[in-house]
Amino acid sequence: MSHSRSRSRSLSRAATTTTAPVVFQAAALLLAYPDRDWPRRPRTVRETVAELPGPEVQLLLSFCDRAEREDPLAVAARYVATFDRSRRRCLYLTYYTDGDTRRRGAALARIKSVYRTHGWLPPDDELPDFLPLMLEFAARTPEAGTALLTEHRAAIEVLRYALEAHRSPYAALLRAVGRCLPGRAPASREEALRLTRTGPPTEAVGLDVLGPFPAQPRPHDDGERR
């Protein structure tokens, strides 16, 4: 992604705060598309978190161990196969709560409104519910960002369960993020799916002034169903 280098720099700054923002920034880096600067990202994460305590840090390091041994082209191909070819493993969190319905626009507008309220402007070419963006916001604005991630925790857990079923190494990153969120996680995939049906608040905040959202590449259906 075009902002991966700035994320790498902000990861080092995040390390001066608590562990959770560091984990969020690290996961944002590692869950973004592995473009040309990919080889430096696992190294940056490893160098930043190596001395920090906690099982969530070990989950990050385990992912980095594997990523550093793989060919970057293979990593990119796996990323596409994992996230772009299955609706069950979509990185756009409101897809789990709202699907392809009109109310999803209100959910997206609300997230973007939270970003703007806290002075953070994500790139215009990405939807605001893209998990790496939400994680980066939580790293930079921990209180508001953690609250936003917690509101969408059921979707995060549904994605985690799907990644575990797929035997994907990316599941470790979702587990690390989940350990940094307050409260109880859904105890099962079924409970997480039930919670996504209620969804986070979806007030239509400023729909007329937030402007149109960029088109989201629709995940290809690989035959899997929730």
Side-chain angles (χ1 to χ4, degrees):
M1 290 184 67
S2 60
H3 290 258
S4 57
R5 291 185 182 178
S6 64
R7 287 174 181 151
S8 296
R9 291 193 295 268
S10 60
L11 177 58
S12 297
R13 292 195 296 270
T16 63
T17 63
T18 62
T19 300
V22 181
V23 172
F24 294 150
Q25 186 66 75
L29 275 171
L30 298 173
L31 282 167
Y33 179 77
D35 55 17
R36 287 179 297 178
D37 81 330
W38 169 256
R40 78 176 67 184
R41 287 193 236 162
R43 291 198 302 269
T44 298
V45 170
R46 176 182 298 284
E47 292 167 1
T48 303
V49 308
E51 303 301 322
L52 295 177
E56 61 275 7
V57 172
Q58 296 307 310
L59 288 165
L60 295 176
L61 291 174
S62 70
F63 180 90
C64 292
D65 285 343
R66 175 166 177 168
E68 289 177 312
R69 294 194 302 266
E70 290 187 304
D71 178 78
L73 291 178
V75 174
R78 185 179 64 207
Y79 185 96
V80 171
T82 299
F83 295 117
D84 294 346
R85 294 180 179 169
S86 173
R87 296 181 182 183
R88 294 186 65 182
R89 299 187 297 273
C90 176
L91 285 169
Y92 297 88
L93 295 188
T94 64
Y95 180 83
Y96 297 98
T97 54
D98 298 297
D100 290 325
T101 64
R102 292 186 63 183
R103 70 174 181 268
R104 188 178 177 201
L108 293 170
R110 182 181 179 277
I111 295 172
K112 197 167 187 179
S113 178
V114 172
Y115 292 162
R116 289 188 171 184
T117 296
H118 293 274
W120 193 66
L121 297 178
D124 290 332
D125 62 351
E126 189 57 87
L127 289 176
D129 65 337
F130 186 50
L131 179 56
L133 282 185
M134 296 179 72
L135 289 166
E136 185 175 355
F137 175 67
R140 298 184 181 207
T141 313
E143 184 174 354
T146 300
L148 192 60
L149 288 172
T150 303
E151 287 179 5
H152 293 82
R153 184 172 197 166
I156 292 172
E157 295 298 329
V158 169
L159 174 57
R160 176 178 68 83
Y161 281 114
L163 290 171
E164 289 176 344
H166 191 61
R167 299 184 183 276
S168 170
Y170 287 103
L173 303 180
L174 274 290
R175 287 196 294 271
V177 169
R179 286 181 173 273
C180 294
L181 299 178
R184 185 184 71 86
S188 65
R189 176 177 177 271
E190 290 67 31
E191 182 183 355
L193 285 170
R194 282 197 304 273
L195 290 172
T196 61
R197 298 188 185 111
T198 62
T202 55
E203 295 92 335
V205 180
L207 280 174
D208 55 340
V209 297
L210 291 179
F213 294 102
Q216 171 193 345
R218 187 184 176 96
H220 299 291
D221 191 351
D222 61 0
E224 295 175 292
R225 290 291 184 272
R226 281 197 263 175

